[in-house]
């Protein structure tokens, strides 16, 4: 049975038109949610901690800013969009004491509810609306009149309105322009962690880096290696995004298409897929979550070491030089 997809025509904004939405945080997702909801005509307040570096950015965007406590007290819906590792402490200290009956507590990712790190009270609605893409792109596509697909889930429906509120919220940030479907906190959490690790972020970056290093170590010019293994990925993926594998393969040469079929399975092998299944099990059984939280609670030693390794990598240095020569690639700093 195909999933029921929800689009603008299927979803009313009325469940949230007279509600105040507190967006807690002002980072990648939060700035996009806040601005998109505001531009949809909904009532938004941004909740930030004392001395927040984000305050000036939110105010420059024309958004009202309050403390997390005041924003929670005032709002009907509280959308918690700060880093996953920091959510439990902020929730306990600044949100829970003011999360009164009838309000809604919302998330952009199910991590902390699914792994039992945040346990909301029974008298509130609990839902998630997870856009399927980076926050900066959620804002960009909305501003361009387009939308980013999203998924929503209800973990607790105290008011009997939670599902309609979640769907209206998804429309408010522009996701029903592209399509929204219902999920669960478990499915959203596990598929999102799997996808970002095995394909979108971990898989893709390691594939690109291995390809670049293979060419450079064989003596080819790093600029050609950059164009071939990184820059052109977007161009190929744009065709896949628009037309699927078939459309992309229509555009490339027969030579490339033949090589695609011959060599692809040598790179992404049966062992790769077997390891993907192991990755999924690690996620399902909480081992990844525990490793992430342990690193976070120790000040991210592993994460910072990895960040350091890439900082001087030729892929980054050559890439920046080449991108600087392409005026059509935005040089604008990311807003947050
Ligand atoms: N990044 C993405 O594209 C996606 C993220 N998500 C989910 O969205 C949620 C937010 O992630 P993301 O947007 O990446 O978060 P960010 O890392 O971009 O969040 C930064 C914001 O969080 C605030 N913040 C950080 N730590 C604290 C704290 N301890 N107390 C209060 N405020 C704090 C910062 O404020 P200050 O200026 O005060 O430091 C800043 O405004 C997560 O659940 C994530 O899984 C879901 C889909 C995609
Ligand atoms: C951008 C997105 O969808 C991710 C990869 O899940 C995330 O940033 O957590
Ligand atoms: Mg994701
Ligand atoms: Mg994610």
């Amino acid at each position: 049975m195909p999933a029921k997809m929800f689009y603008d025509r299927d979803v009313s904004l009325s469940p949230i038109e007279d509600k105040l939405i507190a967006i807690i945080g002002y980072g990648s997702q939060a700035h996009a949610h806040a601005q998109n909801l505001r531009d949809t005509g909904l009532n938004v307040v941004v909740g930030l901690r004392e001395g927040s570096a984000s305050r000036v950015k939110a105010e420059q965007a024309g958004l009202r800013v309050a403390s997390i406590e005041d924003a929670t007290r005032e709002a009907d819906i509280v959308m918690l969009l700060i880093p996953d590792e920091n959510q439990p402490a902020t929730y306990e200290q600044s949100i829970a004491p003011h999360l009164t009956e009838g309000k809604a507590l919302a998330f952009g990712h199910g991590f902390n509810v699914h792994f039992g790190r945040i346990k909301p009270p029974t008298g509130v609605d609990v839902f998630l609306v997870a856009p399927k893409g980076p926050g900066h792109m959620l804002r960009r596509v909305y501003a361009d009149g387009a939308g980013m697909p999203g998924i929503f889930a209800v973990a607790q429906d105290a008011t009997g309105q939670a599902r309609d509120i979640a769907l209206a919220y998804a429309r408010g940030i522009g996701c029903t322009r592209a399509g929204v479907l219902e999920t669960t906190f478990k499915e959203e959490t596990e598929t999102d962690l799997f996808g970002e690790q095995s394909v979108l972020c971990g898989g893709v970056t390691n594939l690109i880096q291995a390809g670049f290093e293979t060419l450079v170590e064989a003596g080819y010019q790093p600029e050609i290696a950059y164009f071939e293994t990184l820059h052109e990925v977007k161009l190929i993926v744009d065709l896949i995004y628009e037309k699927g594998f078939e459309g992309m393969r229509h555009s490339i040469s027969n030579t490339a298409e033949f090589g695609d079929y011959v060599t692809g399975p040598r790179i992404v092998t049966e062992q790769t897929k077997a390891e993907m299944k192991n990755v999924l099990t690690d996620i399902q059984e909480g081992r990844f979550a525990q490793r992430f939280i342990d690193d976070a609670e120790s000040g991210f030693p592993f994460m910072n070491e990895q960040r350091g390794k890439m900082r001087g990598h030729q892929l980054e240095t050559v890439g920046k030089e080449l991108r600087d020569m392409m005026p059509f690639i935005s040089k604008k700093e990311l807003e947050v």
Side-chain angles (χ1 to χ4, degrees), residues 199-238:
V199 180
L200 299 171
C201 309
V204 166
T205 55
N206 280 269
L207 188 65
I208 290 170
Q209 185 174 340
F212 177 85
E213 290 173 351
T214 301
L215 288 177
V216 169
E217 286 162 15
Y220 298 105
Q221 296 175 75
E223 291 79 2
I224 291 180
Y226 177 82
F227 286 143
E228 191 61 35
T229 62
L230 189 149
H231 187 84
E232 192 172 343
V233 169
K234 170 180 168 37
L235 308 178
I236 295 284
V237 166
D238 277 4

Side-chain angles (χ1 to χ4, degrees), residues 153-174:
V154 173
Q156 189 166 275
D157 184 8
T159 65
Q161 294 292 313
R163 198 167 173 279
D164 290 343
I165 291 170
L167 271 167
Y169 185 102
R171 179 170 174 181
I173 59 174

Side-chain angles (χ1 to χ4, degrees), residues 16 21 40 78 103 110 113 137 155 277 290-291 300:
I16 61 174
I21 303 167
T40 299
V78 180
K103 289 184 189 282
V113 171
M137 296 309 287
K277 290 177 180 172
Q290 195 54 61
R291 182 174 175 189
F300 278 131

Side-chain angles (χ1 to χ4, degrees), residues 24-31 33 46-55 57 68 79-87 89-91 93-94 107-112 129-138 148 188 192-193 196 336:
I24 309 301
Y26 199 68
S28 177
Q29 281 291 320
H31 91 286
H33 287 230
V46 174
L48 293 174
R49 60 182 163 178
E50 190 63 35
S52 172
S54 303
R55 171 179 281 270
K57 296 172 190 171
I68 296 173
M79 170 59 88
L80 183 49
L81 291 173
I82 68 174
D84 292 310
E85 66 275 18
N86 297 339
Q87 289 185 13
T90 296
Y91 170 75
Q93 288 155 17
S94 306
F107 298 85
H109 180 41
F111 187 91
N112 282 298
V129 173
K132 292 286 93 187
H136 295 87
M137 296 309 287
L138 176 65
M148 178 182 286
E188 186 280 332
D192 189 71
L193 292 175
E196 62 199 21
V336 295

